[in-house]
Amino acid sequence: MQAEPFAAPVFQTSSLTLSLEGGSYELLLHAPPCNEIGTTMLDALEGALDRIDTSVGHSLIIRSGLEAGFCAGANLRELYTAIAAGKDATHHERLAAWLDRIHAVMDRIDMLPLTTVGVVHRVCFGGGFELALTCDILIAEKNARFAFPELRLGIIPGFGGIPRLRRDVGNAVVRDLLITGRTFNANKAQEVGLVSQVVPEGEGVRAAKALTAQQSKYDRDARVSCKAFMKPLPIEELAAEKAIFLRLFHNDAVTEGLRRFVESTDVRPYLPS
Amino acid sequence: METVNTLMQLAAKRFKVDAATLRAEDDFFAKLGIDSLKALDLLSDVEDKFDVEIPDYELQGVVTFAALAAVIDTRR
């Protein structure tokens, strides 16, 4: 795991750094404890996307500079704080607007006319997994683990993860991940077709750079057309997932699930219980 | 016995401790001072070394090397 960006920053916040080297952008996430996606990360992702010049770059590598992993998912503390403050008349609208912003960011990354490569190590859970699934190609370091633990909180993934996972792998695999909440290791993720390369710990960046350098030799129109053809946005399913997420989020079980997680001092919060 | 010994060697290597200080009945969370994220690293090592797949919900309540070795053996 390489903690530093590989070139001078084009854009930088406390959550991430965007850099550009030889036509390849790098989006380095570095918001402790594990790049949780809340308002701050969302602002940063929007800012970074605004600064990507697709006429200059040919690719984007998304990775984490934190030892803890790629991304642990949504910022549950922020969600719990918002929900615990009480549900007034505008609660649903505010939640829906927040979710729309996240979907817009995920959709923008998904459809970038660049080759996007996610480099994953250790934790790739929930919203972090959903972010990884926006990438065209995933490279997993040997210690990567993928999971959708949302059902433990009484919800489903809500950042577009289910349609994107279904776009890439078989429905039985999707159900296994969702219904059990278990983690897949890197080899299992490759076996089911989610990950294209498994590399030793610390080798992900090198592998991603080699990949982006290779694809940069090909005609831009061919690359972009190929991606658009093979990776359509599952618009209807994304909307359906969002609706289910919003409905479930109003259940009391969610408040209780979030409270348990936020207040937990257990050393095993990331293992099923 | 073979499984638990190999497991303790794996844990010692992963968390840079002397394997000779580990005992089968040790609580590996306490003994190694690890949290759930580090335990998942150990699980990845275990699945790789023993060529097994262990759904992590089967590890609820499993805290000793001996207990983890028993789960590994049921999957081999």
Side-chain angles (χ1 to χ4, degrees):
Chain A
M1 194 270 307
Q2 187 179 321
E4 299 301 317
F6 53 65
V10 172
F11 175 73
Q12 192 162 32
T13 76
S14 61
S15 300
L16 56 80
T17 300
L18 179 72
S19 59
L20 175 65
E21 183 187 53
S24 184
Y25 281 101
E26 178 198 44
L27 188 63
L28 179 69
L29 309 178
H30 46 66
C34 194
N35 298 319
E36 285 76 7
I37 302 172
T39 309
T40 307
M41 179 62 86
L42 195 53
D43 288 343
L45 287 168
E46 288 171 339
L49 284 167
D50 288 344
R51 283 156 182 89
I52 290 176
D53 183 346
T54 57
S55 69
V56 172
H58 54 66
S59 55
L60 169 68
I61 295 171
I62 303 179
R63 68 183 185 92
S64 164
L66 300 179
E67 193 68 39
F70 179 74
C71 175
N75 186 332
L76 298 182
R77 291 179 195 285
E78 188 176 292
L79 271 178
Y80 178 65
T81 303
I83 208 170
K87 295 176 183 174
D88 59 25
T90 65
H91 175 77
H92 182 85
E93 285 70 23
R94 284 186 286 117
L95 181 63
W98 177 77
L99 200 57
D100 283 343
R101 274 186 70 195
I102 292 179
H103 270 253
V105 164
M106 297 288 187
D107 291 354
R108 281 176 76 185
I109 298 171
D110 197 302
M111 293 186 297
L112 276 173
L114 306 171
T115 297
T116 53
V117 182
V119 178
V120 177
H121 70 279
R122 298 187 82 199
V123 171
C124 185
F125 291 177
F129 194 0
E130 296 180 275
L131 176 62
L133 285 165
T134 65
C135 296
D136 301 342
I137 296 171
L138 287 180
I139 294 173
E141 296 190 355
K142 196 85 182 169
N143 57 2
R145 297 201 76 97
F146 301 83
F148 274 132
E150 279 83 354
L151 259 67
R152 287 160 58 187
L153 296 172
I155 49 176
I156 61 168
F159 300 173
I162 300 175
R164 288 194 171 92
L165 185 61
R166 211 162 90 123
R167 182 174 62 184
D168 291 345
V169 303
N171 206 332
V173 176
V174 180
R175 291 196 300 273
D176 183 0
L177 279 164
L178 291 173
I179 292 170
T180 69
R182 70 166 167 140
T183 60
F184 277 9
N185 69 18
N187 288 332
K188 175 81 176 181
Q190 186 178 38
E191 184 188 312
V192 300
L194 180 63
V195 157
S196 64
Q197 295 181 41
V198 176
V199 298
E201 292 173 29
E203 284 297 309
V205 176
R206 188 206 56 74
K209 282 184 171 184
L211 191 159
T212 56
Q214 180 61 31
Q215 62 82 46
S216 74
K217 298 172 185 171
Y218 309 144
D219 177 71
R220 182 182 189 279
D221 187 20
R223 272 190 281 114
V224 173
S225 301
C226 174
K227 170 173 174 168
F229 177 51
M230 289 310 299
K231 196 175 169 230
L233 203 61
I235 295 169
E236 287 180 15
E237 287 192 357
L238 287 167
E241 181 203 78
K242 203 189 303 181
I244 296 170
F245 178 89
L246 286 170
R247 180 179 64 75
L248 291 172
F249 207 84
H250 291 285
N251 291 341
D252 291 339
V254 178
T255 311
E256 181 54 24
L258 287 172
R259 188 192 62 74
R260 272 202 313 273
F261 186 90
V262 168
E263 294 179 355
S264 172
T265 54
D266 192 342
V267 294
R268 294 174 277 265
Y270 287 104
L271 289 174
S273 57
Chain B
M1 211 51 199
E2 182 195 336
T3 304
V4 78
N5 286 336
T6 306
L7 171 61
M8 289 190 293
Q9 283 164 14
L10 267 184
K13 185 180 174 195
R14 165 61 64 181
F15 301 111
K16 298 180 175 56
V17 299
D18 182 355
T21 65
L22 304 179
R23 299 285 175 267
E25 297 307 322
D26 283 341
D27 176 329
F28 53 78
F29 285 100
K31 183 75 175 189
L32 300 167
I34 62 173
D35 57 16
S36 63
L37 296 184
K38 289 180 178 169
L40 288 173
D41 289 339
L42 179 60
L43 179 57
S44 294
D45 290 344
V46 162
E47 289 179 322
D48 195 33
K49 177 73 179 179
F50 293 98
D51 193 22
V52 292
E53 180 183 354
I54 303 176
D56 32 26
Y57 52 77
E58 289 195 10
L59 298 177
Q60 293 173 72
V62 172
V63 297
T64 68
F65 292 110
L68 180 52
V71 174
I72 294 167
D73 283 337
T74 65
R75 287 268 169 178
R76 294 176 84 184

